[in-house]
Amino acid sequence: MKLTRNCFLVLIFCCVASQANSENNSLIQNVPGRAPQSLNGKWNYIIDPYETGYYDYRYKPFDEMKNPGNGAFFLDRKPKDKTDLIEYSFDDSPTLWVPGDWNSQDEKLLYYEGTIWYRRLFDYKKTVTDNRVYVHFGAVNYESDIYLNGKKLGKHIGGFTPFNYEITDLLKESGNSLVVKVDNKRKKESVPTLNTDWWNYGGITRDVSLVEVTKTFIQDYKIQLKKGFDNEITGFVQLNEGKAQQVVSINIPELKITIIARTDSTGKAIFSGKLKKIDLWSPENPKLYTVEVLCGENFVTDKIGFRTIETRGTDILLNGKSIFLRGICIHEENALRGGRAYSAQDAQMLLNSAKELNCNYVRLAHYPHSEYMVRLADEMGILVWEEDPVYWTIQWENPATLANAMQQLTDVISRDKNRACVIFWSMANETPVSDARNEFLKKLAVHARLLDDTRLISAALENHTNPNNPNEKIVEDPFADYVDIVNFNQYIGWYDGTPEKCDKVNWIIKYNKPVMISEFGGSALQGKHGDAQTRFTEEYQEDLYARTLNMLSKIPQFRGVTPWILYDFRSPKRVLPKIQDGWNRKGVIGQNGTKKKAFFVLKKFYDQMEVKYK
Ligand code: GCU
């Protein structure tokens, strides 16, 4: 069989996805709803910049050897006796908190990019002998090799999406050794690639847990309104095994409905059911229903909202009603702690601040944030944009890079497809137009629509200045034909001129689609004051916000905006002493949690838009 380019792509795609052992390690839906046992806490760690614990002196990986010997850290060995040479010891090594990035936990690791080994010992007694057990990671940045009791479970690439491995056959009742090699080195072929304007936090950055399930269990399900219908539920239930004719049922007690379906030979049951009356989810009424999914002894309960989202001409319709998206961009960081956000409390802090701005929408930039964030947005009634970390200039022509971007997109859609708050899948941010780039993004968009046809597709598209008229900005991007909403970033008044330029600029946007501005803004050091012409003062930023919102409001298709950004955030690209000091200062809230003057300009504008679209 001659391998065509597409066969080759599929081949790579499968490799990246299934580098684990033969068990079914597809993502388990709704791990929080399965009474997981947490492995969070203090883990011993070993810094290993030369990857001494992974490669022998001939640079051969130990985990590919029949007898790797005493140099292989994943074996977590201890000297048998005083003559035995072992040159590492997790027991005697310091600890790091998991979940958490390593950079903010130890001054000497602030700028560290490379390999760190983590080890966690745990006991586990199954509740039912016949049950299966999985280890689940919320996310590990960036590349991770996972081992249990000296056996390799798999390798995961991508820093912002979950993964799990079955460990049933390797598990002991006590003294299990879980070893994770984490490497956050930036690489050209990676997604994201070498250059980003955010801190490359490394580590086991989200929860780690053990999930015990029955031998045959409900691995995945999707339960949402049928596209274009507000009175019909549709979806699937996927078992972990290809067992046919298994009866599954979906119960929504509050709606007094039970839908019964049978699995096919792949263990998948497709279903749909009519609804009499349903309370649709919206920011004003974030109604979540308790939904029970059952198959034999196995059941899982979830909280799911139902809403419709679509575009009609230049309008965005939520439950059939035109909406203006009052948003803000958020990085997954707790600025007050100066580290990766990872907990329900961090999510609460960030979304509370967005609510104080009177937002009904947030752009989670530039990568998938934690499940806590998305589930809390569901509860709080905040609409969400989720993004594949295809940022700036990645390797468009590298099939492995495409497979990687596809996998991360697949995983975030898989994890969050039941969240009513999520209305956007974004393919990319500020990527330069080229044939290879267009092809790459098209493939992602087609893939996303295949996985989920109920949500809107977008990206932060390109725009340019009319070469004959500096005050004319044109939004023109070949990829705009593949998106539902035209989003673009613009920095008039910061990277492009000064704020008064906003008063003169005219936007040419020839798309009969809703238009949103996915970023605008300027930096201000909180507490630095002066006249509105002085950069980095709160007055400059305040003036820039006022003039920009006025400029954007002249765009007829203008249906939403997410200024850059809610909080100041760490970036190694920001080096201006006494002003930036390793922080991007474009937040409307400072590093210390204090609101800047621009915060109130934006809130006032949102209060007006709320009334206008009531
Ligand atoms: C870009 C980019 C952001 C960046 C911002 C900035 O548009 O998307 O990631 O932080 O501009 O320059 O502050």
Side-chain angles (χ1 to χ4, degrees):
M1 172 178 86
K2 187 165 148 342
L3 275 185
T4 62
R5 187 169 145 74
N6 289 342
C7 302
F8 178 68
L9 270 177
V10 172
L11 195 60
I12 290 188
F13 189 18
C14 303
C15 297
V16 168
S18 62
Q19 288 213 348
N21 48 38
S22 60
E23 272 97 6
N24 175 351
N25 290 318
S26 311
L27 215 44
I28 297 174
Q29 177 69 209
N30 185 15
V31 161
R34 306 199 188 229
Q37 175 183 318
S38 174
L39 289 181
N40 292 352
K42 286 192 166 184
W43 292 45
N44 297 96
Y45 78 98
I46 300 174
I47 306 173
D48 188 10
Y50 285 51
E51 300 184 290
T52 301
Y54 187 73
Y55 296 105
D56 71 2
Y57 78 120
R58 292 283 178 253
Y59 222 64
K60 292 209 171 43
F62 286 122
D63 64 11
E64 289 174 13
M65 297 174 187
K66 273 212 168 38
N67 305 308
N70 284 350
F73 288 8
F74 73 86
L75 295 172
D76 189 11
R77 282 210 177 132
K78 304 176 184 32
K80 284 196 280 311
D81 56 45
K82 63 184 177 188
T83 67
D84 199 9
L85 173 60
I86 303 260
E87 294 184 285
Y88 70 92
S89 161
F90 281 110
D91 292 352
D92 303 325
S93 295
T95 60
L96 283 170
W97 283 104
V98 167
D101 63 274
W102 59 60
N103 311 73
S104 63
Q105 293 191 53
D106 184 328
E107 189 54 37
K108 73 174 182 295
L109 295 175
L110 180 60
Y111 283 89
Y112 181 68
E113 294 182 298
T115 284
I116 285 188
W117 292 84
Y118 286 76
R119 193 277 322 254
R120 175 77 153 79
L121 298 177
F122 68 93
D123 303 339
Y124 191 85
K125 193 163 179 346
K126 284 201 285 183
T127 56
V128 176
T129 322
D130 200 25
N131 276 357
R132 297 176 187 273
V133 179
Y134 285 75
V135 61
H136 180 273
F137 294 83
V140 178
N141 193 47
Y142 174 78
E143 203 167 299
S144 49
D145 295 86
I146 319 283
Y147 309 86
L148 182 68
N149 298 334
K151 292 277 179 296
K152 185 151 193 177
L153 300 178
K155 182 183 192 67
H156 185 265
I157 292 175
F160 306 101
T161 46
F163 55 98
N164 45 242
Y165 299 109
E166 180 165 6
I167 58 172
T168 313
D169 304 341
L170 297 170
L171 204 56
K172 300 183 292 185
E173 286 206 3
S174 66
N176 293 287
S177 165
L178 180 61
V179 172
V180 183
K181 173 186 183 292
V182 182
D183 182 358
N184 74 333
K185 269 198 297 300
R186 288 169 291 120
K187 298 177 185 156
K188 273 209 184 79
E189 68 276 16
S190 300
V191 180
T193 181
L194 293 169
N195 191 13
T196 69
D197 189 24
W198 70 80
W199 208 269
N200 180 27
Y201 289 114
I204 303 178
T205 51
R206 294 185 191 148
D207 292 351
V208 184
S209 40
L210 297 171
V211 187
E212 183 172 336
V213 287
T214 48
K215 193 155 182 10
T216 300
F217 71 97
I218 298 159
Q219 183 138 31
D220 195 8
Y221 54 85
K222 179 176 183 178
I223 305 167
Q224 287 280 285
L225 286 177
K226 188 173 177 184
K227 186 176 175 63
F229 290 78
D230 62 6
N231 63 352
E232 187 170 342
I233 282 184
T234 185
F236 69 81
V237 175
Q238 175 71 60
L239 304 181
N240 63 309
E241 292 173 322
K243 273 192 178 169
Q245 292 310 312
Q246 304 299 299
V247 177
V248 300
S249 65
I250 297 95
N251 297 340
I252 310 180
E254 211 181 325
L255 294 173
K256 299 188 178 45
I257 69 165
T258 295
I259 302 169
I260 305 287
R262 282 183 183 279
T263 57
D264 61 18
S265 59
T266 69
K268 189 170 190 172
I270 307 239
F271 67 84
S272 69
K274 283 272 179 225
L275 299 166
K276 295 198 194 58
K277 178 133 188 25
I278 186 164
D279 205 353
L280 293 174
W281 183 100
S282 70
E284 297 73 29
N285 172 43
K287 172 65 185 171
L288 298 176
Y289 286 92
T290 298
V291 178
E292 300 161 346
V293 187
L294 296 94
C295 178
E297 305 141 59
N298 188 234
F299 77 93
V300 58
T301 304
D302 207 343
K303 287 271 185 194
I304 299 180
F306 300 98
R307 53 97 191 95
T308 65
I309 185 77
E310 60 196 305
T311 63
R312 195 171 297 150
T314 60
D315 283 333
I316 304 171
L317 305 181
L318 177 70
N319 301 329
K321 188 169 172 294
S322 178
I323 187 171
F324 182 89
L325 297 176
R326 311 186 309 268
I328 191 81
C329 290
I330 300 180
H331 256 306
E332 187 171 52
E333 189 177 79
N334 177 330
L336 311 183
R337 198 179 53 237
R340 265 279 170 248
Y342 58 77
S343 64
Q345 295 72 22
D346 289 338
Q348 191 77 63
M349 178 197 98
L350 293 165
L351 294 181
N352 283 355
S353 301
K355 275 276 185 186
E356 280 184 73
L357 264 175
N358 195 6
C359 287
N360 61 2
Y361 166 63
V362 291
R363 175 189 177 196
L364 303 183
H366 289 293
Y367 37 78
H369 290 210
S370 82
E371 192 165 351
Y372 287 118
M373 195 69 166
V374 183
R375 284 186 176 271
L376 186 60
D378 236 12
E379 287 166 26
M380 290 174 73
I382 299 179
L383 293 155
V384 167
W385 152 303
E386 294 212 80
E387 190 166 324
D388 200 12
V390 174
Y391 181 92
W392 288 347
T393 49
I394 67 165
Q395 287 191 334
W396 308 113
E397 318 215 30
N398 181 338
T401 300
L402 176 62
N404 181 346
M406 284 273 202
Q407 190 60 49
Q408 296 191 52
L409 185 60
T410 305
D411 292 342
V412 67
I413 294 178
S414 173
R415 187 194 72 185
D416 297 338
K417 58 184 175 291
N418 293 309
R419 305 282 77 78
C421 64
V422 178
I423 55 169
F424 278 115
W425 304 121
S426 172
M427 303 302 113
N429 178 70
E430 286 187 359
T431 51
V433 173
S434 73
D435 293 349
R437 172 262 198 185
N438 301 343
E439 277 314 301
F440 191 107
L441 298 189
K442 268 190 241 171
K443 287 194 177 88
L444 290 180
V446 170
H447 181 64
R449 289 194 197 282
L450 268 177
L451 293 175
D452 175 29
D453 66 351
T454 65
R455 290 180 175 83
L456 306 174
I457 301 291
S458 195
L461 301 171
E462 294 297 275
N463 64 82
H464 63 275
T465 305
N466 176 343
N468 309 321
N469 175 354
N471 292 328
E472 201 166 82
K473 302 289 278 184
I474 301 166
V475 180
E476 210 170 38
D477 185 322
F479 187 55
D481 300 335
Y482 295 83
V483 298
D484 299 300
I485 299 214
V486 172
N487 263 282
F488 61 92
N489 302 348
Q490 70 82 36
Y491 280 91
I492 294 172
W494 187 256
Y495 295 125
D496 177 356
T498 50
E500 58 282 342
K501 179 171 179 176
C502 294
D503 311 341
K504 292 175 275 187
V505 163
N506 182 30
W507 284 93
I508 309 295
I509 310 175
K510 295 202 182 102
Y511 298 101
N512 180 29
K513 294 180 178 184
V515 165
M516 295 175 59
I517 285 70
S518 33
E519 287 180 37
F520 80 79
S523 294
L525 178 63
Q526 191 278 319
K528 180 177 171 61
H529 294 287
D531 58 47
Q533 287 69 47
T534 305
R535 287 195 181 250
F536 297 107
T537 61
E538 290 197 32
E539 287 70 22
Y540 187 106
Q541 190 190 43
E542 178 188 35
D543 180 48
L544 174 62
Y545 267 65
R547 291 174 192 265
T548 301
L549 292 167
N550 186 39
M551 170 186 70
L552 299 178
S553 300
K554 295 176 195 148
I555 297 172
Q557 311 101 312
F558 183 42
R559 293 294 181 279
V561 60
T562 46
W564 190 257
I565 184 165
L566 184 59
Y567 278 86
D568 289 358
F569 62 96
R570 278 191 193 277
S571 167
K573 296 172 72 67
R574 307 295 168 171
V575 295
L576 186 61
K578 302 193 188 70
I579 300 271
Q580 296 174 326
D581 295 321
W583 290 77
N584 182 314
R585 299 291 182 193
K586 292 194 179 70
V588 291
I589 303 176
Q591 178 189 345
N592 56 11
T594 308
K595 299 177 179 66
K596 303 175 190 177
K597 286 185 169 184
F599 180 102
F600 303 100
V601 172
L602 187 59
K603 177 166 178 2
K604 187 160 158 255
F605 177 74
Y606 284 166
D607 293 347
Q608 291 158 353
M609 294 312 272
E610 184 182 18
V611 173
K612 185 172 170 198
Y613 275 78
K614 207 160 219 81

